[in-house]
Amino acid sequence: MQRVYSVRSTQPTHEQLALQETVFHNANGYLGVRGTLEEGAPEGMDTMRGAYVNGFYEIVPMKQAEKLTHVREDKESMINVADVQGVRFCLAGEWFSQWTGALVECERLLDMDRGITERRVTWRSPKGRETVLRFRRMASFAQPSLFLIDCEVTPLNYEGTVEVESTHLALVKNYANPNDPRLAGESECHLVPAGSLLEEDASYLSTRTRVSGLTLTTGVKHALEPAASDARTVYDPDAHAAAFRATVTLERGQPLRLQKYCVFSDARRHDDTLAAAQQAMADAFGKADALYRAQQETLAAFWESSDTTILGDNDANLSMQFNLYQLFQSAGRDGLCSIAAKGLSGEGYEGHYFWDTEMYMMPFFTLTMPELARKLLGYRYRTLDAARENARLLGHRKGALYPWRTITGRECSGYFLAGTAQYHIVGDIAYAVGMYYEATGDRDYLTREGAELLLETARLWMDVGHVVEGTFRINCVTGPDEYTCLVNNNYYTNACAKNNLEWAVRAAGLLETWGLYDEWAARLGVTREELDAFAHAAEIMYLPYDEKLGINPQDDSFLQKPVWDIAATPRENFPLLLHYHPLQLYRYQVCKQADTVLAHVLFEKLADAGVRERSFRYYEKITTHDSSLSNCIFCIEACRLGLRHEARAYFGDSVKTDLLNTHGNSKDGVHTANMGGCYMAVVNGFAGFRLCADGVRVDPFLPEGWTGLKFSFQYRGSRLRFEMEGGRYCVRLLSGGPVSVFTLEGAHRLERPGDEAEGKTR
Ligand code: BGC
């Protein structure tokens, strides 16, 4: 199977421009560059020309209308860094641009096997000269500081001089849209010059953020063939920009190749960013072919471990590959950063990390690339102290309160009702720790980091909650549904807290078995009484239940509100958040996204099938799915309840959210949580995959229109493959073992590679 997504169009893509910048961006977990056209776009066209370094931020004001105590008045915001994308060609006197002359052919493609994007153009100039241009781009996985633009220009029906101009601009602005709360409000340049160096035809430009004081150095160096005697790089101190210029004379049919090596190094990772950039350039320059090969090898290994194939629906399958590729491109791998809500593809949500990583993306990484999953969890451990501090700021005497959105661990949500109040993020992170341990059995992780994180998050719940009439209650929080704020006993939050408390106790028990408890308990001041209190609170956790309807209400007051009439709401008024005052939404039963249904998916045992089905039916009538984190969860629950038709409908176009721009905002960046959610819908939904304490379980069925489904996964160091086709399915052990697989037909023990558990699909 070839994994290539491409778009052909001989019309200049005005409306599609910004969207394609997202779809064809290149990233490697460290840096991301949007797929902006090298020659630029005419003035006034909507384009977000951007390059980002994961976790590189400025501190910007977050104005609060009124002074509220301990509410943050500034936040971290991911900033646009140096623009290295500009490359222009003047072909026998005419500057190439997609916006002039005619496009005889034009194709953009993303090759997910080779890890590159390409734009191939046959251009007829206004004077009728024809040229083939190819721009290939790569954000290297082997050398994460490197972004490469590789251009080839071939005159078809003329010969003459070609002038090359390639720019390196250090001072750039962020994109802004004052009318969209999901974007920054003002377009600003957050950088000041901090040094320049021209050395061996390379330009190194350093900048520093004004408030966070972080330095970033970018280096650019060109390899040109045929060589040009007049090639030179000049620096303009006023603009803090450099430009490379050269002229070559080409025969008809003779290609010119220009390789632009761009390296990024930042002060969060390097003490001396200039030296690091110089070293990175020395490592990369002239090695494009080797780097392409390394890229292909990285991708081959990625697909081998995480291949997830849908048979019989090519569009859905290609979109699935696209989504998994984007997750791989977006994930921070150095423990210093995580996965932003838009990955490294755009400025939506300002590069912040949310619960999205733990609840929607971690399942994919945990099951396919556990080493990377551990790095992501490592980021949360690294910010545990900041979470402790945050808890104190909010008045908690103990425990750790993770911020709702952040880069380095500080709270960055301005609107605390739908931000900081989402305490469930604490339980979400703990859930991911538990799941990671369950799937990998990684004792080292639990000992060094996981157990402490579970303890500190459990402590937080003990401080937030209290016992009323024999039940443990949690007041004044916001659940995942952001159309219902500050409530008592959000079912989802309470269920997460219960799980969190149970895991803290379990982790302590495991440490005890391994003979590590005493040291751990002494270091963190844990007592037996404290652990007993955790267990007791978990046991008596209050989970709202409505006798009359036989459902779990979202919270204590939810069912007392009138129901929002979704059917009578004009289509153009969705998403509701862009059309109604928050208070108006809060007074109704209307959900932005899965909330109680998500709790039912994660914690199946807390409610029986009848309650879950009635709840599902209830919430589906009042959920708008205005968040892209929603449909996938409804899909999983529909699969579990045997609601095949609904399951297929919920999966619907979710998998194509960014390729079809179904939420209308993919130009601001990809929806990474939805991408992980689609993986969950396929694996946990259609394949019915679950982790259990002593193995894995599958309970699959094929939705209408699909002929098969295959995926690879890892469990406790073993590699396995799930395949379903023609009414049958099997789980095969590829390496490692033994692994227990539970199916409707019974329990199977896979002892050695090649052993299979088989069954008939539902
Ligand atoms: C959703 C949140 C999500 C955030 C970032 C919001 O629209 O309601 O649940 O964390 O987007 O993806």
Side-chain angles (χ1 to χ4, degrees), residues 520-540:
W520 177 77
R523 181 164 55 86
L524 297 165
V526 186
T527 60
R528 298 280 170 195
E529 293 70 46
E530 183 175 29
L531 293 172
D532 289 348
F534 287 177
H536 183 61
E539 205 182 313
I540 61 168

Side-chain angles (χ1 to χ4, degrees), residues 30 143-147 168 195 197 199-200 202-207 215-221 261-267 269-285:
Y30 172 65
Q143 194 183 326
S145 52
L146 178 75
F147 172 65
H168 177 188
L197 173 72
E199 180 191 68
E200 292 175 1
S203 53
Y204 294 96
L205 303 181
S206 299
T207 49
T215 307
L216 181 113
T217 301
T218 44
V220 172
K221 188 169 177 176
Y261 291 82
C262 314
V263 295
F264 292 65
S265 92
D266 73 288
R269 276 90 176 179
H270 301 281
D271 292 335
D272 184 340
T273 58
L274 174 62
Q278 286 168 308
Q279 185 59 52
M281 186 61 86
D283 292 344
F285 191 73

Side-chain angles (χ1 to χ4, degrees), residues 182 341 349 354-356 404 422 480 482 592-593 627 629 673:
R182 297 163 297 186
Y349 288 124
F354 294 73
W355 70 313
D356 302 30
W404 175 239
Q422 294 201 48
E482 295 184 351
K592 182 179 177 190
Q593 63 205 93
S627 159
L629 281 64

Side-chain angles (χ1 to χ4, degrees), residues 182 340-342 349 352-356 360 404-405 418 422 424 479-483 577 592-593 626-629 671-674:
R182 297 163 297 186
K342 304 286 178 192
Y349 288 124
H352 290 157
Y353 316 130
F354 294 73
W355 70 313
D356 302 30
Y360 286 80
W404 175 239
R405 49 193 287 181
Q422 294 201 48
H424 64 86
D481 164 31
E482 295 184 351
Y483 290 167
L577 68 110
K592 182 179 177 190
Q593 63 205 93
D626 282 348
S627 159
S628 71
L629 281 64
H671 295 75
T672 50
N674 169 69

Side-chain angles (χ1 to χ4, degrees), residues 390-698:
N390 193 38
R392 302 301 162 268
L393 192 73
L394 272 282
H396 301 298
R397 287 152 300 176
K398 55 186 179 184
L401 173 62
Y402 279 97
W404 175 239
R405 49 193 287 181
T406 187
I407 292 179
T408 68
R410 283 160 59 102
E411 179 59 89
C412 294
S413 66
Y415 183 58
F416 71 87
L417 298 172
T420 309
Q422 294 201 48
Y423 272 43
H424 64 86
I425 189 165
V426 170
D428 301 330
I429 294 169
Y431 177 88
V433 170
M435 185 192 167
Y436 171 80
Y437 178 72
E438 200 84 276
T440 61
D442 186 344
R443 226 164 118 157
D444 182 67
Y445 166 73
L446 203 72
T447 309
R448 287 175 195 271
E449 303 182 0
E452 183 178 343
L453 193 151
L454 290 167
L455 170 77
E456 283 295 294
T457 46
R459 282 176 168 167
L460 193 268
W461 294 120
M462 296 306 286
D463 196 75
V464 184
H466 64 295
V467 179
V468 181
E469 293 165 1
T471 56
F472 192 87
R473 297 176 180 237
I474 299 170
N475 291 336
C476 237
V477 296
T478 297
D481 164 31
E482 295 184 351
Y483 290 167
T484 308
C485 286
L486 279 202
V487 292
N488 294 346
N489 297 305
N490 168 254
Y491 180 90
Y492 176 84
T493 307
N494 288 17
C496 277
K498 178 177 166 68
N499 177 66
N500 193 160
L501 291 159
E502 287 167 353
W503 262 102
V505 176
R506 189 167 158 201
L510 286 166
L511 292 179
E512 179 123 54
T513 331
W514 304 331
L516 301 167
Y517 175 83
D518 291 341
E519 185 274 322
W520 177 77
R523 181 164 55 86
L524 297 165
V526 186
T527 60
R528 298 280 170 195
E529 293 70 46
E530 183 175 29
L531 293 172
D532 289 348
F534 287 177
H536 183 61
E539 205 182 313
I540 61 168
M541 183 65 67
Y542 174 66
L543 296 168
Y545 175 71
D546 184 82
E547 293 281 351
K548 215 160 95 217
L549 296 172
I551 67 166
N552 292 121
Q554 197 167 291
D555 57 69
D556 281 357
S557 61
F558 193 73
L559 297 179
Q560 293 158 26
K561 300 173 181 176
V563 170
W564 183 280
D565 194 344
I566 293 184
T569 309
R571 276 182 76 86
E572 61 276 15
N573 283 5
F574 293 91
L576 302 182
L577 68 110
L578 294 185
H579 300 273
Y580 300 90
H581 192 287
L583 267 183
Q584 187 177 355
L585 296 172
Y586 300 169
R587 292 208 180 93
Y588 284 85
Q589 289 187 50
V590 60
C591 307
K592 182 179 177 190
Q593 63 205 93
D595 192 304
T596 309
V597 173
L598 176 57
H600 284 166
V601 164
L602 302 178
F603 310 112
E604 273 175 280
K605 292 195 184 110
L606 295 183
D608 66 36
V611 174
R612 286 183 18 230
E613 179 160 0
R614 284 188 296 277
S615 302
F616 177 88
R617 292 293 187 203
Y618 192 86
Y619 290 107
E620 72 172 347
K621 292 198 194 75
I622 54 172
T623 304
T624 61
H625 308 288
D626 282 348
S627 159
S628 71
L629 281 64
S630 194
N631 277 313
C632 48
I633 303 304
F634 274 75
C635 170
I636 300 172
E637 186 64 343
C639 289
R640 294 196 176 162
L641 294 169
L643 308 171
R644 287 161 174 259
H645 174 73
E646 286 84 343
R648 183 72 185 93
Y650 279 114
F651 192 71
D653 282 339
S654 289
V655 74
K656 301 173 200 157
T657 295
D658 291 303
L659 290 179
L660 295 182
N661 192 17
T662 57
H663 279 249
N665 63 351
S666 293
K667 72 171 177 55
D668 304 331
V670 294
H671 295 75
T672 50
N674 169 69
M675 291 170 158
C678 288
Y679 172 82
M680 290 162 68
V682 166
V683 172
N684 302 112
F686 296 121
F689 179 93
R690 284 127 163 133
L691 287 170
C692 17
D694 43 5
V696 302
R697 210 169 112 202
V698 289

Side-chain angles (χ1 to χ4, degrees), residues 130-134 152-158 250-256:
E130 286 194 8
T131 311
V132 175
L133 299 105
R134 190 208 67 193
E152 203 176 87
V153 176
T154 314
L156 289 185
N157 60 358
Y158 65 98
L250 295 182
E251 302 292 324
R252 188 181 295 230
Q254 181 190 3
L256 166 156

Side-chain angles (χ1 to χ4, degrees), residues 49 51 80-86 167-172 218 220 260 264:
R49 206 177 162 87
N80 185 8
V81 294
D83 181 353
V84 294
Q85 300 197 53
T167 49
H168 177 188
L169 316 174
L171 302 178
V172 290
T218 44
V220 172
K260 183 172 186 180
F264 292 65

